[in-house]
């Protein structure tokens, strides 16, 4: 349900959102790497939210907007199953979560081609449930994550050239991380992956992307992403009786740089071609061990022809 008003220099929106999800899952076979042969689970998820936005145009070239969202999430979960005929302990629990998110942005138009903007926002990722039956109760559920982000940037547009530049600084609280551990002492088959929570961390970086149109048939494009991350030291429960200390380093799946360069060609007959070079720096695979992916580069090429009803490419 949404009500809105759009005037010459002021617009606003007020809305209410509701959803109710009832999901029943029945699975049989070689499940969770052999940890279960059948599993019956039930999710009841209720979500309610109130949201509002006010946008104001003033001083000719300034535009500001404020967004606010209040949300409540309730999840009821139940699962039971067996492994080769032996019952797996039933899991039944209820999660209640409340959230507050906001966004404040300001844009200044220097001219018809160039805008400068800034954004301060607070967002969240709801918590959830890890379904693997081997998990101990302490690792079964994970909490929400909260992010506070500030960014500034500019956007330039012309007939021949586009350029976007963004710099950002994000603070992460109760950060959701991907963990792997052995859940039962002396049983290496109980090694599993799941989502957990760290204490806090931050992401900082810059993104640049540009496109240049040489003519109607040829354009060049490039992008550069620079990223610096950190996850503070945290203690997590491996199982019900033991714990480990992790963190105090950069976050997993966070390469310090990404580079992309490319050229597109398309002529009036429908013939097209593309050549692209990408390069990505090394990064940790997981927050729970020191294995890293090596830096790598890829060259992609594509040629083909496109007509009204078909296309063919190599």
């Amino acid at each position: 349900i949404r009500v809105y008003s759009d005037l010459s220099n002021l617009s606003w929106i007020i809305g209410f959102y509701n959803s109710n999800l009832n999901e029943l899952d029945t699975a049989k076979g070689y499940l969770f790497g052999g940890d279960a042969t059948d599993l019956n689970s039930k999710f009841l998820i209720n979500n309610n939210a109130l949201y509002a936005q006010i946008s104001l145009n003033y001083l000719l070239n300034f535009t500001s907007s404020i967004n606010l969202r209040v949300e409540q999430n309730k999840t009821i979960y139940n699962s039971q199953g067996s492994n080769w005929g032996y019952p797996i302990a039933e899991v039944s629990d209820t999660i209640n979560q409340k959230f507050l998110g906001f966004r404040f942005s300001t844009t200044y138009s220097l001219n018809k081609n160039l805008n400068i903007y800034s954004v301060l926002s607070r967002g969240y990722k709801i918590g959830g449930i890890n379904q693997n039956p081997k998990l101990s109760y302490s690792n079964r559920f994970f909490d929400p994550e909260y992010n506070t982000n500030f960014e500034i940037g500019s956007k330039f547009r012309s007939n021949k050239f586009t350029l976007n530049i963004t710099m950002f600084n994000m603070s992460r609280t109760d950060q959701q991380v991907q963990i792997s551990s052995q859940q039962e002492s002396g049983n290496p088959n109980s090694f599993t992956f799941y989502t957990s929570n760290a204490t806090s961390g931050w992401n900082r970086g810059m993104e640049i992307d540009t496109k240049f149109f040489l003519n109607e048939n040829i354009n060049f494009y490039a992008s550069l992403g620079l990223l610096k991350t950190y996850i503070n030291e945290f203690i997590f429960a491996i199982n019900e009786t033991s714990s480990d200390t992790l963190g105090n380093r950069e976050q997993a799946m966070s390469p310090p740089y990404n580079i992309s360069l490319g050229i597109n060609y398309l002529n009036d007959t429908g013939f097209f071609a593309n050549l692209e070079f990408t390069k990505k720096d090394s990064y940790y695979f997981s927050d729970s061990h020191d294995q890293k992916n090596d830096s790598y580069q890829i060259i992609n090429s594509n040629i083909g022809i496109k007509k009204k009803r078909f296309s063919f490419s190599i």
Side-chain angles (χ1 to χ4, degrees), residues 27-41:
K28 294 182 180 295
Y30 191 79
L31 310 176
F32 301 105
D35 290 336
T37 54
D38 64 88
L39 190 71
N40 301 313
S41 60

Side-chain angles (χ1 to χ4, degrees), residues 113-133:
N113 301 115
L114 180 61
N115 291 337
I116 298 175
Y117 68 92
S118 64
V119 179
L120 174 65
S121 60
R122 182 180 190 266
Y124 50 84
K125 296 163 62 177
I126 67 171
I129 300 164
N130 296 299
Q131 288 191 273
N132 194 304

Side-chain angles (χ1 to χ4, degrees), residues 114-160:
L114 180 61
N115 291 337
I116 298 175
Y117 68 92
S118 64
V119 179
L120 174 65
S121 60
R122 182 180 190 266
Y124 50 84
K125 296 163 62 177
I126 67 171
I129 300 164
N130 296 299
Q131 288 191 273
N132 194 304
K134 287 287 187 180
L135 284 171
S136 61
Y137 185 83
S138 58
N139 294 325
R140 176 69 59 190
F141 306 95
F142 56 94
D143 296 326
E145 174 182 338
Y146 301 92
N147 296 331
T148 301
N149 185 64
F150 175 73
E151 66 180 64
I152 58 174
S154 65
K155 297 178 181 291
F156 178 83
R157 295 286 187 278
S158 70
N159 293 331
K160 289 282 189 179

Side-chain angles (χ1 to χ4, degrees), residues 4 18 20 41 51 65 141-142 148 160 220 238 245 254 256-257 268 290 305-306:
Y4 70 93
N18 168 264
N20 292 280
S41 60
Y51 60 91
S65 65
F141 306 95
F142 56 94
T148 301
K160 289 282 189 179
F220 301 88
I238 297 175
T245 301
S254 303
Y257 68 80
D268 299 334
D290 294 329
I305 187 167
K306 185 175 182 180

Side-chain angles (χ1 to χ4, degrees), residues 22 34 49 57 63 82 86 94 108 138-139 144 163 176 231 240 265 277 282 293 307 311:
N22 184 356
N57 299 321
T63 302
S82 64
Y86 294 94
T94 300
Y108 176 64
S138 58
N139 294 325
L163 176 64
Q176 293 177 6
I231 181 170
E240 299 292 357
Y265 174 76
F277 168 82
S282 62
N293 183 59
K307 295 296 184 179
S311 65

